[in-house]
Amino acid sequence: DAISTEDLVSLSIYVSAEVLKPCVVFTPTLSGATARRVTRFRLPTWIVAVSPSEPTCQTLQFSYGVYPVHETVRPAHWERYVRDWLERNEVDGRLALLTRGTSAARTGGTNQIEVIDLSRPPSETSIW
């Protein structure tokens, strides 16, 4: 049967998490759909779902392994946000995964996964 792009990305996140053992998976989200798709796989790591929607964050509190974070302002640089969040929350690790859509202008649909190597200096290019 056909598989949606979003489900394929969720499966890829699962396989990547099993192989790479990241300390966390970040999923910026408006609706929470990506976090809910990924949680079906019961990852061995936390899924941090960052959303500007308080109702979305409240709903995600009932999803296995999902740590919802309400942010009213979109971070200018997601890699820097991930690094700062991990430092503030004293989470150690070598790698983190970050999911995202195609652009800020076209919302909906997650189709990219970025592997952030926390042992290297942050990239200066913005991904949002």
Side-chain angles (χ1 to χ4, degrees), residues 2-124:
I3 185 170
S4 70
T5 302
E6 291 82 5
D7 283 334
L8 184 58
V9 169
S10 299
L11 178 61
S12 298
I13 292 167
Y14 163 70
V15 171
S16 298
E18 286 292 321
V19 172
L20 298 173
K21 309 287 190 239
C23 60
V24 72
V25 175
F26 273 82
T27 61
T29 185
L30 293 174
S31 68
T34 300
R36 284 192 297 276
R37 280 189 183 94
V38 173
T39 194
R40 293 181 299 187
F41 295 103
R42 301 292 195 245
L43 296 183
T45 186
W46 281 99
I47 301 163
V48 177
V50 183
S51 180
S53 169
E54 196 168 336
T56 295
C57 290
Q58 290 172 347
T59 301
L60 287 173
Q61 290 181 29
F62 299 102
S63 297
Y64 175 88
V66 176
Y67 184 84
V69 176
H70 181 241
E71 292 286 351
T72 56
V73 177
R74 172 183 277 167
H77 192 276
W78 274 105
E79 182 179 345
R80 188 171 319 281
Y81 176 86
V82 168
R83 289 171 181 271
D84 291 345
W85 190 94
L86 292 171
E87 186 177 326
R88 278 192 319 273
N89 290 279
E90 300 177 357
V91 177
D92 293 325
R94 189 179 62 80
L95 297 174
L97 296 180
L98 172 65
T99 68
R100 57 190 164 125
T102 53
S103 73
R106 184 174 161 245
T107 60
T110 298
N111 61 6
Q112 298 178 34
I113 304 168
E114 180 177 353
V115 178
I116 300 174
D117 184 348
L118 300 168
S119 65
R120 302 179 84 174
S123 166
E124 291 303 319

